[in-house]
Amino acid sequence: MTKQQIALETMPPQYTDWLIELKQRIHTAQQRASLRVNQELVLLYWQIGQDILTRQAQQGWGAKVIERLAHDLRTAFPKMKGFSPRNLKYMRTFAEAWPDLEFVQQAVAQLPWGHNLVLLDKFNNTEMRTWYAQKTIENNWSRNVLVMQIESGLLERQGAAVTNFEATLPKPNSDLARESIKDPYRFDFLDLTDEAQEREIEHALVQHVTQFLLELGAGFAFVGRQVLLQVGEEEFFIDLLFYHLKLRCYVVIELKAGKFKPEHLGQLGFYMIAVDKQVKAEPDNATIGLLLCKSKDKVVAEYALGDKTQPMGIAEYKLVESLPENLKTNLPSIEQIERELQGDKA
């Protein structure tokens, strides 16, 4: 037995719990310190950008000033990265994009500089930048996830499914449920062809459940695949069952490899009733159903939902989809930007 093991054996019974608590406190403090450093850096960049804008506007300074400033700052602070001409131009663009210091302090400064560069590169629209910035903060997206969400058109897809939530759910649950459902869902991470069948897609989704949950969005928790329900003398199996932590309800997802048909909702509704009777606990809200199909006629979907009293949504899924031309950019990639920031200080 080592001296460390002997020492631990002589500790009071509460020592282990106290040590765990201390470790958590230290970890939290480290995170806060890191966040604070990032906020100060982003605010510094904003202030530098504002200074450049002001002097160029009021005193007519040209682009050569940025080149000279980059040289002088890197000479004065040789160990500090981020003073390349390219990054100084980004600071100017950043200050121009977010002229409100209070908003920068409260929201944008919570994002790492790399995230802000993504927003600057991808959008000229303040509203879209703001929406993605807020979603990134809410969901703690990494930079790569932010890029993926932008390139997949999350803003345009979120809340776009055909649903009857407004008529079947009380507010504010109806609004939250509607915003939780997209159209279409992108499953191109599965590497399946358009000819894939329901069980093949379902199996692949479970194999890639982390990416599937990311595509579903915040709040979804995976419960199971092919969940057995015993009704009378027969057995039935739900394709995919989730629980939504914010809505506090189960979500039944059924996959259809073909075009939407109104009769699909009958099967989905049956499963929802069975979940409400056999799975749902007393505090849970009514189960929501989501039918994912390869294609749909929007008018047919709206008619099919017209007389349904259960909360349901209908959305398409895409297995393979190339990035639309209007989302492609000739602007430098994040990797190119990082190489520039870490470049020679000459």
Side-chain angles (χ1 to χ4, degrees):
M1 185 177 293
T2 66
K3 290 182 179 180
Q4 186 179 7
Q5 289 173 321
I6 294 171
L8 285 174
E9 283 191 352
T10 60
M11 289 296 102
Q14 298 84 5
Y15 175 80
T16 302
D17 291 339
W18 178 55
L19 180 60
I20 293 171
E21 182 185 341
L22 280 182
K23 287 180 179 178
Q24 184 58 47
R25 277 194 225 162
I26 293 169
H27 180 62
T28 302
Q30 288 175 328
Q31 288 180 320
R32 287 176 179 168
S34 176
L35 180 60
R36 185 63 184 170
V37 169
N38 173 77
Q39 289 174 333
E40 291 296 333
L41 181 65
V42 172
L43 288 172
L44 172 64
Y45 285 175
W46 184 87
Q47 290 162 356
I48 293 173
Q50 276 290 343
D51 284 351
I52 294 172
L53 282 174
T54 301
R55 282 159 175 74
Q56 287 186 329
Q58 295 179 356
Q59 302 174 28
W61 290 4
K64 288 185 178 179
V65 172
I66 291 181
E67 299 288 335
R68 177 58 185 269
L69 181 62
H71 175 270
D72 290 343
L73 288 177
R74 287 193 288 189
T75 300
F77 304 97
K79 294 183 180 180
M80 190 172 180
K81 299 174 183 177
F83 290 137
S84 68
R86 182 191 293 274
N87 206 40
L88 288 173
K89 290 174 184 176
Y90 269 118
M91 294 177 203
R92 181 184 60 189
T93 305
F94 179 62
E96 192 173 29
W98 308 106
D100 184 356
L101 175 58
E102 185 177 352
F103 180 78
V104 173
Q105 290 172 322
Q106 293 177 354
V108 187
Q110 296 183 47
L111 297 176
W113 184 238
H115 287 61
N116 279 298
L117 295 186
V118 169
L119 296 175
L120 292 176
D121 281 350
K122 295 294 185 181
F123 303 113
N124 293 318
N125 182 296
T126 301
E127 290 183 4
M128 295 183 75
R129 279 198 193 112
T130 303
W131 191 87
Y132 278 102
Q134 291 172 337
K135 288 296 178 184
T136 301
I137 294 167
E138 288 174 17
N139 300 301
N140 196 28
W141 287 338
S142 68
R143 188 178 57 199
N144 288 338
V145 170
L146 171 61
V147 171
M148 185 204 73
Q149 298 290 16
I150 292 171
E151 293 182 347
S152 70
L154 176 63
L155 176 57
E156 294 78 12
R157 295 186 296 131
Q158 187 163 315
V162 179
T163 74
N164 63 357
F165 294 154
E166 189 173 349
T168 57
L169 292 173
K171 283 187 175 292
N173 278 20
S174 57
D175 294 334
L176 178 56
R178 182 176 57 81
E179 288 300 311
S180 298
I181 305 298
K182 306 170 188 174
D183 189 25
Y185 284 85
R186 288 180 52 133
F187 296 156
D188 43 6
F189 57 85
L190 298 181
D191 196 27
L192 295 175
T193 66
D194 259 354
E195 289 70 38
Q197 296 302 302
E198 292 160 17
R199 290 293 170 265
E200 187 180 359
I201 298 169
E202 175 192 310
H203 176 73
L205 287 173
V206 175
Q207 293 296 110
H208 298 80
V209 69
T210 300
Q211 289 169 284
F212 185 27
L213 286 168
L214 181 61
E215 175 62 7
L216 286 176
F220 283 89
F222 180 61
V223 177
R225 170 201 177 199
Q226 288 296 301
V227 178
L228 171 64
L229 295 171
Q230 181 80 36
V231 180
E233 299 298 321
E234 297 186 51
E235 292 182 343
F236 299 89
F237 297 88
I238 298 174
D239 285 348
L240 296 160
L241 184 62
F242 290 82
Y243 189 85
H244 199 285
L245 301 174
K246 294 181 180 178
L247 289 166
R248 298 191 63 82
C249 70
Y250 285 95
V251 181
V252 174
I253 296 182
E254 280 295 297
L255 287 165
K256 297 298 175 185
K259 188 174 183 179
F260 167 74
K261 296 179 181 179
E263 53 264 35
H264 292 157
L265 295 183
Q267 181 186 34
L268 179 62
F270 175 80
Y271 291 155
M272 292 167 64
I273 291 172
V275 169
D276 278 340
K277 290 182 176 296
Q278 298 184 18
V279 183
K280 183 175 84 73
E282 186 63 33
D284 296 329
N285 292 315
T287 299
I288 288 175
L290 174 59
L291 187 77
L292 294 180
C293 50
K294 190 173 181 182
S295 65
K296 70 178 185 305
D297 183 304
K298 185 176 180 181
V299 177
V300 172
E302 289 173 347
Y303 273 46
L305 286 172
D307 64 345
K308 297 294 184 290
T309 57
Q310 297 165 286
M312 297 178 175
I314 304 166
E316 296 179 2
Y317 64 82
K318 303 293 183 186
L319 288 174
V320 180
E321 186 173 44
S322 60
L323 190 62
E325 287 297 323
N326 64 348
L327 286 177
K328 294 180 180 177
T329 176
N330 293 321
L331 292 167
S333 68
I334 288 297
E335 290 73 21
Q336 290 171 319
I337 293 167
E338 286 182 335
R339 284 196 295 270
E340 175 68 23
L341 297 184
Q342 296 171 6
D344 64 322
K345 301 179 176 65

